[in-house]
Amino acid sequence: MSRFTHEVHMRWSDMDAYRHINNSAYLAYLEQARVAMFFYRHENFSSGTVIARHEIDYLLPVVYDPQPLQVQMWIDGVRGARFTVHYEVFDHGRLVARAATQCVTFDFTVDRPRRLSAEEVEVLRGFADDAA
């Protein structure tokens, strides 16, 4: 499968005093896109994922626009209880940010990480970037 793409809309309130989208808004954009990706193929994915780490490289400033940002995502680094979601964020076709989120599968009943099932690994591998 190629990259998963999702559009996210900016809010006027996402702008800061410097008249560009504030860096903190990107976490919400990434979350919206990540949730959309997981709901796209959730049939074999158990509940219980927490975020262990975010990394964001801001490449160009973004000014509010009613046109949505395009977020392209793919997954790699699938291990026993973790995986990494990678993102490239585009504004009007320009690459404006790169990011990565390390996710850990979690069992909330015992309050600790849990291993990915074979079905979950298969779902995640379906989001691998063929070009990477």
Side-chain angles (χ1 to χ4, degrees):
M1 177 177 206
S2 59
R3 295 179 179 195
F4 181 83
T5 301
H6 184 72
E7 292 183 342
V8 294
H9 290 272
M10 296 172 266
R11 299 174 307 173
W12 181 259
S13 61
D14 292 342
M15 281 195 302
D16 61 19
Y18 299 108
R19 302 185 66 159
H20 66 270
I21 299 300
N22 187 276
N23 61 9
S24 64
Y26 282 79
L27 288 175
Y29 301 158
L30 300 178
E31 178 185 43
Q32 289 174 39
R34 187 174 59 251
V35 168
M37 181 174 67
F38 289 142
F39 275 105
Y40 177 72
R41 290 199 55 208
H42 73 282
E43 68 275 357
N44 290 320
F45 210 87
S46 300
S47 62
T49 303
V50 296
I51 304 305
R53 179 184 174 95
H54 288 294
E55 294 179 30
I56 305 174
D57 294 322
Y58 304 97
L59 306 174
L60 294 170
V62 174
V63 176
Y64 172 82
D65 191 294
Q67 291 292 339
L69 298 170
Q70 184 185 72
V71 182
Q72 294 182 7
M73 295 164 284
W74 66 97
I75 292 178
D76 77 354
V78 179
R79 303 285 183 268
R82 66 181 52 218
F83 57 93
T84 302
V85 181
H86 296 273
Y87 316 80
E88 288 187 342
V89 182
F90 295 88
D91 179 30
H92 296 283
R94 300 176 313 147
L95 179 62
V96 297
R98 284 192 181 99
T101 300
Q102 188 175 69
C103 302
V104 175
T105 47
F106 204 80
D107 183 339
F108 291 103
T109 60
V110 293
D111 215 21
R112 53 184 284 174
R114 64 172 180 79
R115 294 191 65 77
L116 286 156
S117 69
E119 293 83 12
E120 290 170 324
V121 169
E122 191 61 33
V123 168
L124 293 172
R125 288 196 175 137
F127 290 116
D129 185 1
D130 298 335

